[in-house]
Amino acid sequence: MKIIDGKAISAKTKEELRLEVASLKEKGVSVGLAVIIVGDDPASRVYVNNKKKACELLGIYSEEYALPAETTMENLLGLIEELNSRSDINGILCQLPLPRHLDEKAVINAISPEKDVDAFHPVNVGKIMIGDFDFLPCTPAGVMRLIDETGVEIEGKSCVVIGRSNIVGKPMSMLLLHRNATVTICHSKTQNLSEITSQADILVAAVGRANFVTPNMVKEGAVVIDVGINRLENGKLCGDVDFEAVKDKCSHITPVPGGAGPMTIAMLMANTVTAAKKQNNL
Ligand code: NDP
C-alpha cells in the first residue's frame, strides 16, 4: 500500500506555478485573484486564508473582500461587476456557502465566465461536460492529478464516485469519463452501494460522512481517493474513508488531511494563471 502524498504533489505543482508566474511577470503580465467572503463561517475563513497564503507564495496579487453577513445581493453583485471590469483582476471567487438570504446561483452567474476560477458558472460547467474546457473544476482536477501520480492507468478502468454534488461528484465523474474510464456515480438513493463500490479499480469518496467507506466496500488493490473533510467531536479532521481499516486493502490511498485538500488550492492557483494568460492572449 502506498499513501498518496497530496501535500508534496501540491507543493510540486505550486512550485511549477511560481516559476510560471515569475516568467509571466518578466513579460509584463501580472496575475491577480479577488476572493470574496461573506459572513464569519470559521471553515470558510480557514479556506480563504489558505488561498491568500498560496497567492503570496506564488507571487499572485490577491485582494480579499470580507463582507458582513448582512450584505445585500445588490452590494455583492455590485462588487462582482466592478471586479469583472478590472484588468488587474484575472480571477474572482466567492467563498461558498453564502448566508441564507443571498442567492448563490445568481452570484455564480454574475461572475464573468473568463474569471470564474472555481469553474462553477454554467458556461464553464457546460464546457466541462463537452470536454472543451478552459478551467478545470478545482477539487476533481486535483484528484485527477493525484491518480496520475500513482502511475495507475485510468483508461478502461472501473471508477466509482460516491457523491453527485455539482462541485465534486458530477464534475469528477466527467473528468474520469473524458479519460475513458467506465464511471458509476453513487448517491444517497443508490441500492447495494457496497456491491458497486467493491467493483471499483478507482474509488472516489465525496460524501461528507466520517469513516463512511469501510473495507467491505473496497476492492483488493484499488486506488482510493478520499475527498471528504469531516470534523470529529474531538476537533480532529477526518475523511469519508475509514483510513486505518481500509488502507491495507488498497494499492494507493489518500490521507485526510494531506490528500485531496491541498490539491484543490493548487488547482485554483493553476486556474488563476490560466485566466491571466487567456486574458492577455498568451
Ligand atoms: P454534498 O453534501 O453536496 O454531497 C454529498 C453527496 O454524498 C450527495 O450526492 C449525497 O447524495 C451523497 N451521499 C450522502 N449520503 C450518502 C449515502 N448514505 N450513500 C451514498 N451517497 C451519499 O457534499 P460535497 O460534494 O460538497 O462535499 C463532499 C465532501 O467533500 C464533504 O466532506 C466536503 O467537506 C468535502 N469537500 C472537500 C473539498 C476538498 O478540497 N478536499 C472540496 C469540496 C468538498 P444525494 O445527492 O442523493 O443527496
Side-chain angles (χ1 to χ4, degrees):
M1 181 275 303
K2 287 201 178 108
I3 294 179
I4 308 170
D5 187 348
K7 239 175 150 176
I9 300 164
S10 164
K12 191 173 84 179
T13 309
K14 284 195 285 196
E15 178 55 18
E16 287 161 12
L17 288 167
R18 190 184 68 77
L19 297 174
E20 194 172 0
V21 170
S23 99
L24 285 171
K25 233 170 234 167
E26 278 172 16
K27 292 182 194 138
V29 174
S30 68
V31 183
L33 175 70
V35 180
I36 305 170
I37 174 170
V38 187
D40 47 14
D41 178 64
S44 292
R45 176 36 63 200
V46 172
Y47 294 139
V48 167
N49 287 350
N50 288 341
K51 288 167 189 177
K52 232 162 78 178
K53 265 192 237 160
C55 283
E56 276 166 29
L57 186 76
L58 269 59
I60 293 178
Y61 169 70
S62 77
E63 279 182 5
E64 181 190 307
Y65 293 87
L67 307 180
E70 57 278 9
T71 298
T72 61
M73 269 308 274
E74 199 187 347
N75 283 346
L76 185 52
L77 294 180
L79 170 62
I80 292 172
E81 206 179 301
E82 182 199 320
L83 294 169
N84 277 340
S85 68
R86 276 179 49 188
S87 60
D88 59 333
I89 294 295
N90 309 108
I92 304 168
L93 79 84
C94 186
Q95 187 66 43
L96 302 179
L98 290 170
R100 277 165 178 267
H101 69 281
L102 296 171
D103 179 353
E104 246 172 48
K105 252 195 225 167
V107 170
I108 290 170
N109 284 339
I111 295 174
S112 157
E114 291 77 35
K115 297 191 178 185
D116 169 39
V117 284
D118 263 335
F120 291 164
H121 190 288
V123 165
N124 289 321
V125 174
K127 285 183 163 193
I128 292 159
M129 184 83 179
I130 59 176
D132 174 25
F133 37 81
D134 304 315
F135 299 125
L136 292 157
C138 299
T139 301
V143 170
M144 295 305 284
R145 202 56 85 85
L146 293 177
I147 299 171
D148 283 335
E149 285 281 331
T150 66
V152 170
E153 180 66 56
I154 296 173
E155 182 164 313
K157 291 286 160 59
S158 163
C159 295
V160 174
V161 179
I162 321 176
R164 57 171 165 182
S165 71
N166 288 332
I167 59 169
V168 189
K170 276 187 212 162
M172 185 71 247
S173 334
M174 275 302 137
L175 297 193
L176 289 165
L177 183 63
H178 292 324
R179 293 280 296 276
N180 296 324
T182 302
V183 186
T184 307
I185 309 170
C186 300
H187 47 79
S188 68
K189 306 291 186 289
T190 298
Q191 291 179 2
N192 307 322
L193 182 67
S194 57
E195 248 169 63
I196 299 167
T197 58
S198 58
Q199 303 294 315
D201 301 308
I202 299 172
L203 178 62
V204 180
V207 187
R209 286 183 177 214
N211 299 326
F212 181 80
V213 176
T214 46
N216 64 314
M217 296 168 73
V218 177
K219 181 178 176 177
E220 196 75 48
V223 173
V224 175
I225 308 284
D226 190 351
V227 178
I229 303 176
N230 308 293
R231 200 167 281 280
L232 298 174
E233 273 176 16
N234 63 11
K236 273 193 167 176
L237 284 186
C238 86
D240 290 343
V241 178
D242 185 346
F243 183 87
E244 283 306 319
V246 164
K247 68 180 198 308
D248 292 327
K249 247 187 136 174
C250 311
S251 68
H252 302 81
I253 185 168
T254 58
V256 176
M263 289 310 294
T264 297
I265 294 201
M267 294 298 113
L268 172 71
M269 297 296 114
N271 281 348
T272 307
V273 173
T274 302
K277 287 200 292 193
K278 285 211 150 250
Q279 286 158 36
N280 286 280
N281 301 316
L282 292 172

